[in-house]
Amino acid sequence: MTDTPSSESASPEILPPPGAEKIRCDACPVLCYIADGRTGACDRYANRHGELVRLDPLTIIKAGTDKLVPFLPEGAGGPDDWDGDVLGNGRTFVTAIGAGTTYPDYKPAPFIISQPLGGEDMVTVVTEGIFSYCGAKVKIDTDRHIGPERAFVRVAGEPIGHVTTGEYGSKMLSLGGVEHLTGGTKKEGRVTCEALLSLCNREPVEMSVDDGAELVITAGEAPIVNGVTEARMRVGCGSATIGMFAMQWHGLVDEVVVVDDHITGVLSEHQSGRLLGMEPSGIRIKGRRSTPGRYFQVADPGTDWGGTNVTDPLSILGPFDPRRARPGMTLLMVSTTGEQWAYFVLDEGLVPQPAPLPGPLHAVVERIAENCEPAVASVLFMGGAGGSLRAGVTQNPIALTRSVRDALTRVTCGGAPAYLWPGGGITFMVDVMDMPTNAFGSVPTPALVAPIEFTMSAADYAALGGHVDEVRDMADVIREAEAKGLRTVPNGTSRSASKRGKAA
Ligand code: SF4
């Protein structure tokens, strides 16, 4: 069991009423007593006529799509030639989804499976880890201001995380984590756990940011900011947009301003304009000049032009310099997504007057929009498997950490490749869109339940002190699972699989 303190005596233990015929689930520290025909507190386990059963079927990824590379290239000599792909063409992979959990941690993982490969035996250790230390990193493709960095993100009024450092064209949330799961009130922990579970299972979650926006986030779908479905991820910052389209504007207009919350670009001053021989236009931008043609802080953050609060683009301009500007000069102002634009001609007083956008310029504005990618919300589950979960794999847990670090053991989550953080422990991230649907569960400690698999050669498994007596043949495991109900997911299709239904 991963990182679930064994001292959770304050966990919500479910006790049987006096005299009731119940069995005890020992798959997590809650240790529910479950009556016949009923489920435990997490709905993952049930009492079926006195037998404790895991309710979700074991999920198996059926390989064989022609998109896949062979598990080992033709003529490869065994695991030494292994490229780390645990699925591979023609290979069936037993994921940990529906595998169940063992508790306490020293018990061997639910399935330790051998499978011949390239003339060698490989072993996959399969378990559903219970993660008290886990969370989600959420990338929201939008320019719009969702709230200040470090602001709390709330669900049902409870803080479940915060806005973290923004990235290029995207806002970022850091959600969950042990502080919100265990360090606040009981309600905060429960709400955090439920929100993480929904996000990781690709269900929509409504959240609000302190002093910021109302969000609806669904993994793999367009984010909804203040009730508006975001359509486009910006093509770049204002300066980058100038750099990309300067050639196409040249000769069609005297000045272009690309309005952006971070770096607003001005064509005639920008290096692109200079290299094209453009004359200074005498434009004056309100804001802090960084380098030529690049301005910071032209307005406050907002949900209008380029992620600013600008609704009238002229509001970011000062008076034109009469030494440079001239009547009849043309000016295009556009946002970084091409969603907003305005065209002006300077009158006799050098004041910009709105004018119809000429067709050729319109085509370039449309090209900005064309170059924007669809806005998507991405959810990466992040967890730490460096704790007690390792004892289900080996009697010497540090040996598993070293084996993972030495790339002898491959870590996957529901068959999806996990990114491993450098440094100590087994701290990993995985894109929930790469995993089969409904891969996550939860327990009321509260903690998330996530599938995790460790794959290595049988020799390496023995060398790291693995539970070799528990190793079972793949066919045997599948036979047993089929008898109980098996969910089969085609490989390579989890991204396109039905998002809401089971992919079986
Ligand atoms: S919460 Fe779920 S896993 Fe934990 S003891 Fe109860 S039924 Fe078993």
Side-chain angles (χ1 to χ4, degrees), residues 355-387:
L357 185 68
L361 272 182
H362 199 267
V364 186
V365 169
E366 285 184 342
R367 182 155 292 170
I368 294 176
E370 181 190 339
N371 274 269
C372 294
E373 294 174 81
V376 174
S378 306
V379 176
L380 266 64
F381 171 76
M382 184 165 174

Side-chain angles (χ1 to χ4, degrees), residues 333-353:
M333 300 189 76
V334 64
S335 69
T336 46
T337 56
E339 286 168 302
Q340 296 101 341
W341 51 264
Y343 182 70
F344 304 94
V345 179
L346 297 198
D347 65 14
E348 292 299 322
L350 303 180
V351 176
Q353 299 297 338

Side-chain angles (χ1 to χ4, degrees), residues 144-146 207 212-216 223-229 302-303:
R144 293 178 219 285
H145 182 64
I146 61 166
M207 46 188 92
E214 301 288 321
L215 303 171
V216 182
I224 300 173
V225 181
N226 288 335
V228 178
T229 301
T303 56

Side-chain angles (χ1 to χ4, degrees), residues 224-265:
I224 300 173
V225 181
N226 288 335
V228 178
T229 301
E230 188 64 280
R232 299 174 196 158
M233 181 182 186
R234 72 177 187 180
V235 69
C237 69
S239 172
T241 308
I242 292 278
M244 276 184 268
F245 297 101
M247 286 276 282
Q248 298 176 48
W249 284 316
H250 186 47
L252 298 178
V253 63
D254 296 311
E255 185 62 283
V256 178
V257 176
V258 181
V259 181
D260 176 32
D261 179 36
H262 302 123
I263 307 171
T264 287

